[in-house]
């Protein structure tokens, strides 16, 4: 027997939920060729996995790496957690499909989340189709990418910033975008119902756009989370029942006593529902969404900036007195000195009241500023809710990683290592076998990636080697860009992309299609 690569001496987590078992893994080309005892087999390359686990590559079900995936530092941080695939196009806003004006809007409005389009790969200037976007990713980066059609982007392309209901001809054009995006290789449809212009969509509009999905999921940043998750969940259930589509809820967070009964109620009602969550209590988003009232048209930045500068919002700022201490500035182009500081501390350094500094931040960055937000449920009760939610069998792993700014949330640099080091090894929330299900096979099934997620002959050779004794996250709120440790060897499509903890420079990552 001769193979290209043999990973020998490890214990396999095959993605079925089975406990780890002693086996070698052989790879030929971009496929797993054999799993078992391969004594005497030869290979051009041998990786000694003694004392380590060998698992299918992890799939980050919610990542904002649409542009950042081209950054080698982001690739390193991702692979060091065992993640080999990003699912992009999240929260209803990304770079395709749409005209040049639409792409420019999505890039500007979501600048603190997705960042600017990379000059290589995701081509700058002009309109962009899903096929062109995927072509830009294919074999250009070290990890795989999958893409959701972003509802807010296509709505803007058809209706601009309008808050109205789509006319029949507009709905036809929206549906055409969905159908074309699916034909181009998208793995579902995403929405962001707290962002613009997705906020204006009704359940009826979204259900109509789910019609072509044919088993692929409708993925949603719901209209409400936390204590008000029942509002968001009821809309999700309505969309699922109207359309018959599978649904996937992004970054589900809040009190477990509120969330889990809602999940069970939906499942018992026949809804095909999954969700992702990350193992932290703080969030990260665009500052404007957190601090501006709904009547400010964030989709029309010139008008929004005029309102900010004119004093029209003077009566609003006192409402945010309890909000300022919960905000840390993550992204502030032109005011980089404030990144990593709390809003109150940054305001004090600037000699301003918090609301005055916040207004300055929004105006000078043209609404591009981002923030990390502490939720009211921080503390032991919140931690217990995180643990209960991730133990649910409908859970899949997602980092909600944002890589923009000098001081982003640490979740993009540590979430999956934290799942393994804290929630498996230290707390026992999952077994190691269950971890491979939540992080590999379950998300692969959800997004139609039927040749990934399992270590099995014939499957794609996305393989990670994990040291169960040392794997842990090192990124913190104070030092968020610190890579994890404990994953030193990773292969994507059979090609080593991480060896001894360092990037190899190879870029075999595929743009995955269902």
């Amino acid at each position: 027997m001769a193979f290209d690569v043999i990973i020998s001496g490890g214990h396999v987590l095959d993605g079925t939920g089975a406990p780890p078992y002693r086996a070698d893994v052989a790879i030929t080309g971009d496929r797993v060729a054999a799993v078992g005892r391969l004594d005497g087999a030869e290979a051009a390359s041998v990786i000694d996995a003694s004392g380590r686990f060998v698992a299918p590559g992890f799939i980050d079900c919610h990542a904002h790496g649409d542009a950042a995936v081209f950054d080698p530092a982001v690739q390193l941080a991702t692979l060091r957690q065992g993640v080999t695939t990003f699912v992009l196009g999240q929260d209803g806003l990304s770079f395709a499909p749409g005209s040049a004006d639409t792409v420019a809007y999505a890039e500007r409005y979501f600048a603190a989340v997705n960042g600017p389009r990379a000059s290589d790969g995701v081509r700058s200037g002009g309109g962009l189709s899903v096929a062109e976007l995927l072509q830009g990713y294919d074999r250009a980066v070290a990890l795989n990418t999958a893409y959701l059609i972003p509802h807010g982007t296509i709505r803007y392309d058809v209706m601009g910033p309008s808050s109205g209901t789509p006319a029949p001809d507009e709905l036809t054009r929206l549906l055409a975008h969905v159908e074309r995006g699916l034909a181009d290789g998208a793995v579902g449809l995403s929405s962001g119902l707290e962002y613009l212009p997705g906020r204006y969509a009704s359940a009826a509009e979204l259900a109509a756009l789910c019609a072509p999905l044919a088993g692929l999921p409708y993925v949603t940043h719901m209209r409400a989370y936390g204590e008000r998750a029942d509002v968001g969940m009821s809309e999700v259930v309505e969309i699922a029942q109207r359309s018959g589509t599978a649904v996937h809820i992004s970054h589900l967070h809040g009190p477990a006593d509120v969330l889990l009964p809602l999940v069970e109620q939906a499942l018992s009602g026949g809804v095909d529902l999954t969700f992702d969550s990350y193992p932290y209590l703080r969030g990260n988003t665009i500052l404007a969404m957190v601090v501006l009232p709904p009547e400010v048209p964030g989709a029309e930045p010139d008008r929004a900036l005029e309102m900010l500068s004119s004093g029209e919002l003077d009566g609003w700022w006192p409402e945010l007195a309890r909000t300022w201490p919960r905000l840390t500035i993550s992204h502030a182009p032109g005011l980089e000195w404030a990144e990593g500081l709390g809003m109150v501390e940054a305001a004090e350094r600037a000699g301003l009241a918090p609301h005055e500094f916040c207004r300055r931040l929004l105006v000078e960055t043209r609404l591009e500023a981002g923030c990390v937000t502490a939720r009211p449920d921080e503390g032991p009760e919140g931690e217990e809710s995180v643990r209960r939610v991730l133990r649910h069998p409908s859970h899949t792993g997602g980092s909600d990683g944002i890589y923009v700014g000098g001081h982003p949330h640490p979740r993009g640099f540590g979430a999956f290592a934290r799942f393994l080091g804290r929630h498996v090894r230290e707390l026992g929330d999952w077994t190691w076998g269950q971890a491979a299900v939540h992080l590999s096979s379950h998300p692969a099934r959800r997004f139609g990636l039927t040749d990934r997620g399992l270590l099995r002959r014939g499957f794609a050779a996305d393989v990670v080697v994990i040291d169960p004794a040392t794997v842990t996250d090192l990124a913190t709120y104070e030092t968020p860009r610190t890579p994890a440790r404990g994953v030193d060897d990773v292969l994507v499509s059979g090609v080593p992309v991480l060896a001894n903890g360092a990037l190899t420079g190879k870029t075999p990552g595929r743009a995955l299609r269902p």
Side-chain angles (χ1 to χ4, degrees):
M1 294 184 291
F3 305 100
D4 294 332
V5 180
I6 291 177
I7 305 172
S8 67
H11 282 73
V12 166
L13 302 168
D14 62 10
T16 65
Y21 57 91
R22 169 67 179 86
D24 306 316
V25 177
I27 296 167
T28 299
D30 64 354
R31 298 281 140 177
V32 175
V35 179
R37 297 300 291 264
L38 301 173
D39 299 337
E42 297 180 354
S45 175
V46 176
I47 298 171
D48 182 4
S50 300
R52 295 187 287 173
F53 291 152
V54 183
F58 301 149
I59 297 172
D60 190 338
C61 291
H62 192 104
H64 291 286
D66 304 50
V69 70
F70 292 100
D71 182 350
V74 171
Q75 295 177 40
L76 177 67
T78 302
L79 295 168
R80 288 272 288 268
Q81 300 173 70
V83 172
T84 57
T85 299
F86 272 166
V87 182
L88 305 173
Q90 301 287 348
D91 294 340
L93 287 157
S94 190
F95 304 130
S99 67
D101 286 346
T102 296
V103 177
Y105 165 73
E107 184 174 15
R108 181 182 66 246
Y109 177 73
F110 236 33
V113 176
N114 286 341
R117 285 178 294 160
S119 58
D120 56 341
V122 184
R123 64 184 180 87
S124 298
L128 200 61
S129 69
V130 170
E132 289 169 329
L133 185 71
L134 292 176
Q135 183 179 5
Y137 292 133
D138 198 55
R139 301 183 192 273
V141 295
L143 59 152
N144 303 313
T145 49
Y147 189 74
L148 300 162
I149 302 161
H151 163 260
T153 300
I154 64 173
R155 195 181 207 273
Y156 190 93
D157 197 58
V158 171
M159 302 174 63
S162 170
S163 61
T165 300
D169 66 311
E170 292 172 327
L171 188 60
T172 297
R173 291 167 61 196
L174 288 167
L175 272 167
H177 265 315
V178 175
E179 291 167 349
R180 175 63 184 273
L182 292 170
D184 283 349
V187 296
L189 173 71
S190 80
S191 70
L193 304 184
E194 291 186 297
Y195 297 111
L196 295 171
R199 184 188 302 166
Y200 302 134
S202 66
E205 173 186 331
L206 293 163
L209 297 181
C210 288
L213 291 177
L216 292 175
Y218 164 65
V219 179
T220 182
H221 172 130
M222 298 193 301
R223 208 174 294 274
Y225 286 87
E227 295 284 0
R228 298 182 60 247
D230 61 313
V231 174
M233 187 71 80
S234 65
E235 186 174 35
V236 169
V237 170
E238 180 182 353
I239 292 166
Q241 291 176 338
R242 280 174 174 258
S243 65
T245 193
V247 295
H248 181 88
I249 299 170
S250 299
H251 43 64
L252 188 64
H253 63 262
D257 287 342
V258 173
L259 300 179
L260 296 182
L262 294 171
V263 169
E264 290 300 329
Q265 184 178 356
L267 291 170
S268 64
V271 175
D272 181 0
L273 181 145
T274 54
F275 62 86
D276 61 70
S277 71
Y278 54 82
Y280 302 86
L281 286 172
R282 298 181 189 179
N284 190 182
T285 188
I286 52 178
L287 178 63
M289 193 190 85
V290 177
V291 302
L292 294 183
E295 61 267 23
V296 176
E300 302 172 69
D302 290 338
R303 172 59 184 144
L305 290 168
E306 179 185 335
M307 293 176 71
L308 277 165
S309 301
S310 68
E312 289 184 54
L313 302 180
D314 286 352
W316 166 255
W317 300 117
E319 301 288 329
L320 300 176
R322 295 184 179 180
T323 300
W324 306 128
R326 296 194 292 110
L327 303 183
T328 300
I329 299 161
S330 63
H331 177 54
L335 294 166
E336 286 85 359
W337 63 265
E339 293 177 344
L341 299 179
M343 185 67 73
V344 173
E345 182 183 356
E348 288 174 351
R349 292 196 187 187
L352 298 170
H355 76 274
E356 292 171 327
F357 183 72
C358 181
R359 176 161 52 192
R360 175 188 170 189
L361 193 56
L362 291 169
V363 170
E364 293 190 17
T365 66
R366 291 189 59 82
L367 307 184
E368 189 177 325
C371 63
V372 172
T373 60
R375 298 206 299 260
D377 61 350
E378 281 208 21
E381 290 185 5
E383 290 282 359
E384 180 59 26
S385 286
V386 167
R387 296 180 62 191
R388 289 175 60 193
V389 167
L390 68 83
R391 288 196 294 261
H392 194 281
S394 292
H395 170 275
T396 63
S399 70
D400 199 7
I402 292 175
Y403 306 93
V404 179
H407 209 87
H409 195 296
R411 62 198 184 192
F413 300 81
F416 279 70
R418 190 173 180 83
F419 280 132
L420 299 177
R422 178 166 172 75
H423 291 282
V424 178
R425 184 181 64 240
E426 296 177 8
L427 298 176
D429 290 321
W430 300 330
T431 66
W432 289 102
Q434 288 169 337
V437 172
H438 283 260
L439 306 181
S440 298
S441 58
H442 196 15
R445 287 194 299 272
R446 173 47 91 207
F447 293 101
L449 308 176
T450 55
D451 64 344
R452 294 173 200 267
L454 296 172
L455 275 186
R456 181 174 291 174
R457 183 181 178 189
F459 274 58
D462 296 342
V463 186
V464 302
V465 184
I466 305 161
D467 185 340
T470 65
V471 64
T472 192
D473 61 309
L474 299 177
T476 65
Y477 292 115
E478 291 73 29
T479 57
R481 291 184 171 273
T482 309
R485 72 173 175 223
V487 176
D488 289 334
D489 294 285
V490 178
L491 294 89
V492 170
S493 294
V495 176
V497 289
L498 192 74
N500 298 317
L503 293 175
T504 65
K506 304 294 185 182
T507 58
R510 303 307 309 268
L512 303 181
R513 293 163 173 82

